[in-house]
Amino acid sequence: MIPLHELLVFALASLIMVLSPGPNMIYLISRSLSQGKQAGIISLFGVICGFLFHILMVSFGLTAIFFAVPYAFIVVKFLGVGYLLYLAYNTVKSDGNKIFDTKNHNLKKDNPFKLFNIGFLTNILNPKMALFYLSFFPQFIKPEYGSILSQSFQLGIVQIIISFCINFLIVISAAKMASWFAKNPIWVRIQKWFMASILSGLAVKIAFAKAK
């Protein structure tokens, strides 16, 4: 079992990830604003199933890699540090104001099956999530904690719960959030720098952990 304090740090990283703008957030907000909350929720379930796909692929893949190549564990950890810094940079450079602009989300109405499929495919083809799992999971997986596969599933469950809760809140409040951010654009800039600071801090923590 992964220690509780490690899971809490991972939960914080997962929270920052889900709050940072990306394909999943843009799609869910688009559907919620153009087709209503119900469409957004159906799309969200498709996105969650995409998370399950990523977790299964990465969990079995990491297990195979770490057993086959002993030094792969160290290499992937350093890649995780670089990826976190890359995310911090992209967070600052992104234009968060456009995400909640209702004029950018004039989509045609789709049936529930198509909404689910698009959400599922949007997440599966989302490079941000694939890189997150591949580079960040190993930062919290340690052989002394037991089965690598079991640890991967633990992290996956935590990430899915956090992503579902946050995205659900975004879906049901998308219209109000769009209106609020339009009136208070300064909070978008504050949010970007705050998330970039947290991501950079996590990168430093991981780098120091490897240096010991």
Side-chain angles (χ1 to χ4, degrees):
M1 293 290 290
I2 300 175
L4 179 58
H5 70 277
E6 293 283 348
L7 285 177
L8 291 176
V9 174
F10 177 79
L12 175 61
S14 298
L15 178 62
I16 298 301
M17 282 293 299
V18 74
L19 289 175
S20 62
N24 292 337
M25 179 184 286
I26 293 172
Y27 175 67
L28 293 174
I29 292 174
S30 298
R31 285 303 175 187
S32 300
L33 292 177
S34 64
Q35 201 169 333
K37 297 177 183 178
Q38 183 177 0
I41 292 173
I42 294 172
S43 300
L44 174 57
F45 279 108
V47 169
I48 293 301
C49 287
F51 284 136
L52 290 172
F53 174 85
H54 279 301
I55 290 169
L56 288 173
M57 294 299 100
V58 172
S59 296
F60 286 104
L62 287 176
T63 300
I65 290 173
F66 290 161
F67 273 112
V69 186
Y71 292 105
F73 196 88
I74 297 174
V75 173
V76 175
K77 277 184 173 289
F78 278 111
L79 289 176
V81 173
Y83 180 56
L84 284 172
L85 294 175
Y86 169 76
L87 285 178
Y89 172 78
N90 274 356
T91 298
V92 173
K93 299 294 290 184
S94 67
D95 187 356
N97 289 312
K98 292 183 178 180
I99 297 176
F100 289 99
D101 185 354
T102 55
K103 295 179 181 178
N104 293 329
H105 304 303
N106 296 319
L107 302 176
K108 66 176 183 178
K109 292 190 175 183
D110 291 317
N111 61 58
F113 182 74
K114 188 171 183 179
L115 289 171
F116 180 91
N117 281 341
I118 295 176
F120 179 68
L121 292 174
T122 297
N123 200 0
I124 284 182
L125 301 176
N126 182 358
K128 172 184 169 184
M129 292 314 306
L131 285 172
F132 172 75
Y133 288 122
L134 284 170
S135 63
F136 206 60
F137 267 38
Q139 316 306 326
F140 297 89
I141 294 175
K142 297 180 181 179
E144 58 265 33
Y145 293 160
S147 166
I148 292 175
L149 183 62
S150 175
Q151 292 178 65
S152 297
F153 284 142
Q154 288 177 54
L155 296 175
I157 291 171
V158 170
Q159 191 270 330
I160 284 179
I161 292 174
I162 291 173
S163 295
F164 178 83
C165 292
I166 298 300
N167 280 317
F168 181 77
L169 291 175
I170 290 175
V171 165
I172 64 175
S173 60
K176 292 181 179 179
M177 291 175 68
S179 175
W180 192 86
F181 278 115
K183 296 176 181 177
N184 303 276
I186 190 174
W187 286 103
V188 174
R189 292 194 292 272
I190 293 174
Q191 176 250 14
K192 290 195 300 182
W193 282 100
F194 175 74
M195 289 197 300
S197 300
I198 295 296
L199 289 168
S200 299
L202 288 170
V204 171
K205 177 184 181 299
I206 291 169
F208 268 110
K210 285 307 301 175
K212 293 179 179 179

